[in-house]
Amino acid sequence: MPFIDYYKILEVDKNATEAEIKKAYRKLARKYHPDLNPNDKEAERKFKEINEANEVLGNPNNRKKYDQYGENWQHSEEFEKYQQQQKQQQTHQAGSYGDFQSGNQDFSDFFESVFGNQFSSRQQGRQAAFKGQDFNAELQLNLHDVYKTHKRTLTVNGKNIRLTIPAGVEDGQVIKISGHGGDGYKGGPKGDLYITFQITNNTTFKRDKENLLHTIDLDLYTAVLGGEITIPTFDGKAKIKVTPGTQNGTQIKLKGKGFPKYKKEGAFGDLIITYHIIIPKNLTQKQIELFTALSKT
């Protein structure tokens, strides 16, 4: 297997910071995205390479292994485990293999040369099988998208994956899709796909887990005298009564009018309303006289 230089693919230096790698990935992903380059096979190939590079270099743990083991980083644990077993057994071969440094060496050749005949004889000729590489992807949605459970197609490494996104998913939440990662080695199982949700709130509501927070402007007269007002909710409008003498900053709770609870069908949080009382400006002479008279009572 030829060595793949993921740093070169992302056009960053080997000493690049996490922020620089993330910035470079997003720039190139936009440039070569299939939606912007329809029927362009070269752009599609580049897009796959960019995503593969980000799956490795965008994860600090994976990047550390890649820097040490090259494209065979996903099998580093098996190699290190084998080394440890050799030391514990105190065979005459312990430590004779040195440190595996080359990222250019084919892993199948490495397995044959390092584990050698004694490994195959102990395993009765069986070849080691390992799980494939895990993939990581980001899915950007807005708050309205996750208010209801829905299906969506996600393209990962050129493959379309149909997902059911549960209502109530949170920003930064990660879910695992089993078996949608890289192919296994020597017949091993496929890796998994980990999806990180990036949710943009483009509404006037503030989300606090399953609760929604909203500030309502209330005129002075309704605050003093009370009355009925119509307020927005996330999926419509509601009428509520204002208690006479309502103070600025007063909060009321509308049960069940918040956000869906994750994986709890039909369960919702609350909508918490905070009143912001508006003091009238540009009063008429008559209004000034009335307020003056009121202040003297």
Side-chain angles (χ1 to χ4, degrees):
M1 178 185 294
F3 175 68
I4 303 175
D5 190 340
Y6 290 137
Y7 290 102
K8 185 177 180 180
I9 290 174
L10 291 184
E11 301 176 4
V12 296
D13 185 77
K14 192 172 183 179
N15 297 319
T17 64
E18 290 183 34
E20 290 171 336
I21 289 175
K22 188 173 184 179
K23 181 180 180 180
Y25 163 70
R26 289 184 171 177
K27 176 183 177 182
L28 292 172
R30 284 194 298 269
K31 181 178 179 181
Y32 293 102
H33 196 282
D35 291 345
L36 300 178
N37 301 273
N39 302 318
D40 188 335
K41 296 297 183 182
E42 179 62 19
E44 182 179 346
R45 183 187 67 80
K46 288 285 293 182
F47 186 72
K48 291 179 181 179
E49 286 185 345
I50 292 164
N51 276 280
E52 182 179 337
N54 183 62
E55 286 156 9
V56 178
L57 300 185
N59 181 304
N61 188 44
N62 291 346
R63 181 183 179 183
K64 181 179 179 180
K65 293 179 181 179
Y66 173 76
D67 287 342
Q68 182 176 359
Y69 296 101
E71 77 272 19
N72 299 311
W73 64 270
Q74 64 265 46
H75 301 298
S76 61
E77 292 182 3
E78 285 78 10
F79 172 71
E80 292 169 357
K81 182 178 180 181
Y82 175 77
Q83 279 191 321
Q84 185 64 29
Q85 289 174 343
Q86 292 295 84
K87 290 179 182 179
Q88 292 174 349
Q89 292 170 359
Q90 295 183 346
T91 65
H92 68 282
Q93 296 165 322
S96 63
Y97 303 121
D99 292 327
F100 178 55
Q101 298 286 347
S102 174
N104 294 306
Q105 183 178 2
D106 186 86
F107 194 57
S108 60
D109 295 338
F110 160 72
F111 235 81
E112 181 179 350
S113 63
V114 175
F115 288 77
N117 293 330
Q118 86 278 8
F119 179 83
S120 59
S121 63
R122 286 200 303 271
Q123 300 298 321
Q124 298 178 350
R126 291 179 296 173
Q127 291 181 316
F130 300 105
K131 178 182 175 182
Q133 176 184 346
D134 290 335
F135 289 165
N136 295 279
E138 292 182 354
L139 183 56
Q140 296 183 351
L141 303 170
N142 60 52
L143 200 58
H144 279 287
D145 291 331
V146 294
Y147 186 70
K148 293 182 179 180
T149 298
H150 70 286
K151 295 184 182 296
R152 185 175 290 253
T153 299
L154 179 66
T155 301
V156 179
N157 284 356
K159 295 181 180 180
N160 293 331
I161 302 173
R162 188 70 169 169
L163 304 175
T164 298
I165 301 177
V169 169
E170 293 194 40
D171 183 43
Q173 185 172 340
V174 179
I175 65 172
K176 182 178 79 172
I177 310 296
S178 299
H180 281 83
D183 292 332
Y185 179 79
K186 297 295 185 182
K190 282 192 170 186
D192 301 319
L193 169 63
Y194 291 87
I195 300 176
T196 302
F197 288 92
Q198 292 187 342
I199 300 174
T200 301
N201 185 355
N202 52 2
T203 75
T204 57
F205 297 88
K206 181 180 179 181
R207 184 182 179 187
D208 181 14
K209 295 184 178 178
E210 68 268 18
N211 293 329
L212 292 174
L213 312 178
H214 195 53
T215 299
I216 295 292
D217 288 339
L218 188 65
D219 67 81
L220 178 63
Y221 312 107
T222 304
V224 173
L225 302 174
E228 187 176 81
I229 62 173
T230 300
I231 64 168
T233 66
F234 202 81
D235 61 348
K237 295 182 178 180
K239 288 186 177 182
I240 58 174
K241 290 184 177 181
V242 178
T243 303
T246 295
Q247 301 297 305
N248 188 53
T250 296
Q251 291 185 333
I252 62 169
K253 181 185 296 183
L254 277 65
K255 288 189 174 296
K257 287 293 184 178
F259 216 72
K261 296 183 179 181
Y262 182 67
K263 286 193 173 181
K264 293 183 179 180
E265 190 68 28
F268 289 78
D270 303 325
L271 172 59
I272 301 173
I273 298 294
T274 301
Y275 288 127
H276 174 236
I277 298 177
I278 303 298
I279 304 299
K281 298 179 181 179
N282 302 320
L283 297 176
T284 65
Q285 186 59 40
K286 180 63 175 178
Q287 288 172 328
I288 293 175
E289 292 173 0
L290 290 173
F291 272 108
T292 301
L294 183 61
S295 68
K296 294 179 180 179
T297 60

